């Protein structure tokens, strides 16, 4: 079975040589999303809460384009510029995983694309 490339105009277009997501069998690998508005291409960076919600909405759009949802997510990777934002990001992120949250790691990094404060990728599986 060939891999299927997932693309939706409801999430920001890739800013490099990568796909928004790749569906391999029943597993969806979603590239890291940043807080870009899909229509305008503008950064949503009023505050870390808004940035996190924008990232999650972009993830949701890619998941939906492949016929998945947050309930199918088994793993997330969160990259943040400052561990000082961990609790605030956690509060926003947690609103999307009210029960049975996926496995994840959160890593502080020195810089992210477009100098954003948070980027999140995920892996989802359809059973």
């Amino acid at each position: 079975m060939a891999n299927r490339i997932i693309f939706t105009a409801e999430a920001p277009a890739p800013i490099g040589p990568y796909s928004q997501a790749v569906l391999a069998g029943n597993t969806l690998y979603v590239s890291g999303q940043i807080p870009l508005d899909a229509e305008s291409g503008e950064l949503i960076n009023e505050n870390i809460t808004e940035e996190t919600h924008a990232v999650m909405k972009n993830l949701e759009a890619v998941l939906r384009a492949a016929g998945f949802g947050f309930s199918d997510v088994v793993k997330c990777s969160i990259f943040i510029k400052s561990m000082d934002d961990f609790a605030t990001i956690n509060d926003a992120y947690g609103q999307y995983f009210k029960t049975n949250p996926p496995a994840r790691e959160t890593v502080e990094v020195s810089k992210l694309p477009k100098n954003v404060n948070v980027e999140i990728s995920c892996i989802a599986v359809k059973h």
Side-chain angles (χ1 to χ4, degrees):
M1 178 184 301
N3 293 341
R4 187 170 68 128
I5 302 302
I6 305 299
F7 175 82
T8 177
E10 293 181 25
I15 56 175
Y18 61 89
S19 300
Q20 288 174 327
V22 176
L23 182 61
N26 65 340
T27 303
L28 183 68
Y29 299 89
V30 182
S31 293
Q33 296 295 308
I34 62 175
L36 278 177
D37 180 273
E39 284 185 34
S40 69
E42 297 294 317
L43 283 174
I44 299 168
N45 59 357
E46 186 106 356
N47 59 58
I48 194 64
T49 299
E50 292 305 313
E51 280 191 57
T52 305
H53 282 297
V55 168
M56 297 305 289
K57 287 176 185 169
N58 289 338
L59 282 174
E60 184 176 37
V62 177
L63 288 164
R64 191 173 48 248
F68 287 70
F70 284 121
S71 63
D72 300 308
V73 174
V74 297
K75 176 82 178 349
C76 285
S77 297
I78 303 178
F79 304 94
I80 61 178
K81 273 179 50 176
S82 173
M83 249 339 143
D84 293 340
D85 293 328
F86 180 81
T88 305
I89 290 167
N90 233 17
D91 287 344
Y93 169 92
Q95 293 175 33
Y96 299 86
F97 300 107
K98 295 195 185 298
T99 59
N100 301 319
R104 81 162 207 220
E105 66 271 326
T106 303
V107 180
E108 181 180 86
V109 297
S110 63
K111 195 166 187 179
L112 289 164
K114 297 193 176 277
N115 210 30
V116 299
N117 295 302
V118 60
E119 178 176 358
I120 304 173
S121 64
C122 70
I123 300 169
V125 177
K126 273 285 192 198
H127 298 284

